[in-house]
Amino acid sequence: MAQAAPPKARATRPSANATRERIVVAALDLFSELSFDGATTREIAARAEVTQPLVNYHFSSKEELWFAAVDRIFAQLNDALTGRAEGLRGVDELTTAKLLIREFVYFCAAHPQLHRIITQECKTDGPRMDWLVEHHVRPVYEQTAAMLDGLVAAGHLPRVPTAHLYYILTGAAPTMFVLGPECRRLTGLDPRAPEVIEAHADAVISLLFGAERTEP
Amino acid sequence: MAQAAPPKARATRPSANATRERIVVAALDLFSELSFDGATTREIAARAEVTQPLVNYHFSSKEELWFAAVDRIFAQLNDALTGRAEGLRGVDELTTAKLLIREFVYFCAAHPQLHRIITQECKTDGPRMDWLVEHHVRPVYEQTAAMLDGLVAAGHLPRVPTAHLYYILTGAAPTMFVLGPECRRLTGLDPRAPEVIEAHADAVISLLFGAERTEP
DNA sequence: CAGGTTCCTGATCATTCGATCAGACTCAGT
DNA sequence: ACTGAGTCTGATCGAATGATCAGGAACCTG
């Protein structure tokens, strides 16, 4: 009665790495949008155009897939920011900071998944938060805090404790992009549009350091 | 073989409203921490100290319970802010704004559930986001935008488009409290401590309006 | 006291989830 | 041509979830 479906012809041998990558990309999107519990391995597999058991072939568990997805987005963040910082040796501190913050805003716009995942996992203590904070967030925090300390010491920022500056910056920069769909509906602005992203970078920088625009 | 457990004695007749309220409070906490999918009706019931079917007795579905929880937190927000605003008739615009923003920071600290839920639901289009934005967020946005417009027009804020100011404010104010557990571990600061909350309000206000402290 | 309503519980349903497993297909090495 | 490792799929498992249902206890009304 039950007729076996004919196996699909496969032109060439698949590349495991490419498939793994597709799964990680799909997982990052879905984890960040639907949360760890809300994203199902079936939906991740469907978006990656593979079958669900293949997810468990490449990753021993859903949690390990989540680790891989988070590793990926933080690697991209570090590429973007340390790459930018290295091109700025010798430039004065305030200019460097403004350019790095601008780059950070651009990154938040291009990769809202980063802060979506952080706000999902860092609300409650748990094994995933432990790993995320100690493995990825702390290094970012310490670098950022050092930069902010320098700016306060040089008088470029008001004398506000570093931790507050950090959470103000990491709240002000990404929120518009994290809540992209809400922003579109609420304000009519599309936070994916380049001119909106640039305006947001301008806004963050001018509120932190005093009014000043891209064109001096 | 199976022995029926003796029914628990119940001293007085329970109040349906009080039970409903306990369920809503538990649901708000768990929805905000674990997301809609991550929070189970059994866990909500356990925290409210009731049985799981009782949740479905008072609320026809999990989603309706979520609506009730969101209604509750927005009612608290409106109580806090409009109550504060009414005591400030006749006070000058800048002072009013500073006091309202301070009150907003206090509210974010006392009720991190608000922005936890917004960031969970407003990342993706869907029926819950539709309802949340049109029913609750839009009125808040329009009131806030009007205030911010006034501040820009009066020269108290840099000439930045309103939508950006809104997302900078609603990002900068609550993030430290939304990510409370992370903040404790990362910085050693406890964002539940009154002096930390006040320092954050000072920080947000001084970055928006220029350095100035509680004690002039 | 009789009948009805409100509030609540234990048992259980169908569904969906993450995970596992046997087997199939491709290809490199020999 | 044969073998074995690597990659992938359909079928299916146990566990957990949201929801339902029959029934029971407390209370009100007459």
Side-chain angles (χ1 to χ4, degrees), chain B residues 86-102:
Chain B
E86 280 169 5
L88 291 172
R89 296 194 190 287
V91 181
D92 88 280
E93 191 177 19
L94 180 59
T95 308
T96 300
K98 287 184 180 179
L99 286 172
L100 281 178
I101 289 173
R102 181 171 298 273

Side-chain angles (χ1 to χ4, degrees), chain A residues 120 123 159 182 213, chain B residues 120 123 159 167 182 213:
Chain A
Q120 268 160 23
K123 294 177 300 196
R159 199 155 288 281
E182 181 204 84
R213 291 322 180 78
Chain B
Q120 267 159 23
K123 294 176 299 194
R159 199 155 286 281
Y167 280 105
E182 181 204 86
R213 292 323 181 79

Side-chain angles (χ1 to χ4, degrees), chain A residues 31-35 37-39 116 118-120 122-125 129-131 133-134 137-138 141 157-161 163-173 175-176 178-187 189 195-197 199-204 206-208 210-211 213, chain B residues 31-35 37-39 116 118-120 122-125 129-131 133-134 137-138 141 157-161 163-173 175-176 178-187 189 195-197 199-204 206-208 210-211 213:
Chain A
F31 279 142
S32 71
E33 288 179 8
L34 305 174
S35 87
D37 295 292
R116 285 177 183 155
I118 291 176
T119 53
Q120 268 160 23
C122 292
K123 294 177 300 196
T124 317
D125 293 294
M129 174 194 151
D130 284 8
W131 179 87
V133 170
E134 299 306 334
V137 178
R138 191 179 294 283
Y141 173 72
L157 284 177
R159 199 155 288 281
V160 161
H164 298 273
L165 288 176
Y166 173 79
Y167 280 104
I168 287 173
L169 177 62
T170 59
T175 300
M176 176 178 239
V178 167
L179 304 183
E182 181 204 84
C183 177
R184 272 192 292 282
R185 166 176 301 218
L186 208 54
T187 72
L189 282 184
E195 67 272 17
V196 173
I197 300 172
H200 197 67
D202 289 343
V204 169
S206 72
L207 283 170
L208 282 175
R213 291 322 180 78
Chain B
F31 279 142
S32 72
E33 289 178 7
L34 305 174
S35 88
D37 295 292
R116 284 177 184 156
I118 291 176
T119 53
Q120 267 159 23
C122 293
K123 294 176 299 194
T124 316
D125 292 296
M129 175 194 151
D130 285 9
W131 179 88
V133 169
E134 299 306 333
V137 178
R138 191 180 294 284
Y141 173 73
L157 283 177
R159 199 155 286 281
V160 162
H164 298 275
L165 287 177
Y166 174 79
Y167 280 105
I168 286 173
L169 177 62
T170 59
T175 300
M176 176 179 238
V178 166
L179 304 183
E182 181 204 86
C183 177
R184 272 192 291 283
R185 168 177 301 219
L186 208 55
T187 72
L189 282 184
E195 67 273 16
V196 173
I197 299 172
H200 198 67
D202 288 343
V204 169
S206 71
L207 284 170
L208 282 176
R213 292 323 181 79

Side-chain angles (χ1 to χ4, degrees), chain A residues 8-20 22 49-50 54 57-58:
Chain A
K8 278 183 190 159
R10 201 163 35 181
T12 69
R13 173 154 202 195
S15 153
N17 282 349
T19 309
R20 230 187 98 104
R22 285 216 319 283
E49 295 182 298
V50 298
L54 194 63
Y57 170 76
H58 285 288

